[in-house]
Amino acid sequence: MNTKIVIIGGFLGSGKTTLIRELGKLLSANGKTIAYFTNEVGEIVLDGDLMSYDIQTKEITMACVTCNLKEAMTTAVDQLIEKIHPDILFVEPKETVSPLVVRDELEKMSLKAGTEEYQFTPLFTLIDCTAFFKNIKEKKKITFDQITVAEIIVLNKTDLVEENKLEMIRESVRQINPNATILENTFENETGSKKIEKYLEF
């Protein structure tokens, strides 16, 4: 059985874990087995919420994920797949680690193992619309990298910004990455979850 690996990048506080929880609820309701691991700081409390939705979690804690990225991910992925045999594995990297780097390392791991156990969905980057321009100013390089490597960009918390500001964010994202698919998700209703779910279909 193949496990689909869903890598969701974005800054701390952008709503990644909440989105994963909502997607997990939808997918679990459809009979899918879900697993999840993160090395992001500050997500520990929500892990309990994820567990309540039958999502198996694995937290990786390290000072510098890039220093031991391959070893940590190899261990976590192997443990989760061996124990859970999940249909979908959500991976939430630290905000300073490119989702593309994570995918490349996991692909190398799979190739080295000589297996075809993993399939990758498109790379996701989640953008907090309420903090977009602040991040562009204060974390420009990382923000551009997160957007540039993404195949699907989710504009999150769209209901918390005015329409004119939202249109400016859309245009800025299109200029940085004109090829990505752009989806939108609200803070209150998680309206984007079902739109995102279709990209995880088997």
Side-chain angles (χ1 to χ4, degrees):
M1 182 195 73
N2 289 328
T3 295
K4 282 200 172 184
I5 299 179
V6 186
I7 302 169
I8 300 183
F11 287 114
L12 181 65
S14 61
K16 291 178 292 182
T17 307
T18 300
L19 181 62
I20 290 170
R21 182 179 61 197
E22 293 302 315
L23 288 169
K25 288 164 61 179
L26 289 171
L27 293 163
S28 295
N30 291 331
K32 303 302 180 186
T33 302
I34 312 301
Y36 160 82
F37 81 80
T38 180
N39 70 292
E40 189 64 274
V41 178
E43 304 297 338
I44 299 172
V45 174
L46 284 175
D47 281 356
D49 294 333
L50 288 165
M51 290 291 282
S52 69
Y53 293 115
D54 295 324
I55 301 174
Q56 301 296 320
T57 66
K58 176 74 175 179
E59 183 191 1
I60 299 174
T61 303
M62 60 184 68
C64 173
V65 66
T66 55
C67 299
N68 299 294
L69 181 63
K70 187 173 182 178
E71 180 181 353
M73 285 195 302
T74 299
T75 301
V77 170
D78 284 348
Q79 287 179 352
L80 283 167
I81 291 179
E82 182 178 353
K83 179 182 178 182
I84 311 299
H85 303 292
D87 296 305
I88 295 180
L89 170 62
F90 286 103
V91 178
E92 182 185 343
K94 184 178 175 68
E95 64 176 33
T96 54
V97 178
S98 168
L100 184 60
V101 170
V102 173
R103 185 171 70 184
D104 286 348
E105 289 299 332
L106 287 173
E107 284 179 331
K108 289 176 186 176
M109 180 191 72
S110 181
L111 289 171
K112 184 176 180 180
T115 67
E116 296 181 357
E117 293 183 10
Y118 319 117
Q119 294 179 350
F120 292 89
T121 64
L123 290 176
F124 288 84
T125 288
L126 198 62
I127 291 175
D128 178 357
C129 289
T130 66
F132 177 77
F133 292 109
K134 181 175 183 289
N135 288 334
I136 283 286
K137 181 179 179 181
E138 298 178 0
K139 306 175 182 179
K140 184 176 181 179
K141 185 179 184 299
I142 300 171
T143 302
F144 270 70
D145 179 67
Q146 292 270 4
I147 295 172
T148 300
V149 304
E151 293 162 291
I152 298 176
I153 296 169
V154 182
L155 303 183
N156 199 29
K157 307 179 186 180
T158 56
D159 51 332
L160 300 184
V161 297
E162 297 179 355
E163 179 58 35
N164 63 335
K165 184 175 181 180
L166 180 57
E167 183 54 37
M168 290 173 65
I169 295 171
R170 293 188 190 109
E171 185 57 33
S172 296
V173 170
R174 289 191 193 102
Q175 288 180 10
I176 298 170
N177 186 345
N179 298 318
T181 298
I182 298 176
L183 304 177
E184 297 185 9
N185 190 50
T186 65
F187 179 74
E188 288 292 335
N189 300 317
E190 296 295 327
T191 55
S193 298
K194 290 188 179 295
K195 296 177 185 177
I196 296 167
E197 184 188 11
K198 75 177 185 179
Y199 291 95
L200 313 181
E201 290 177 353
F202 288 69

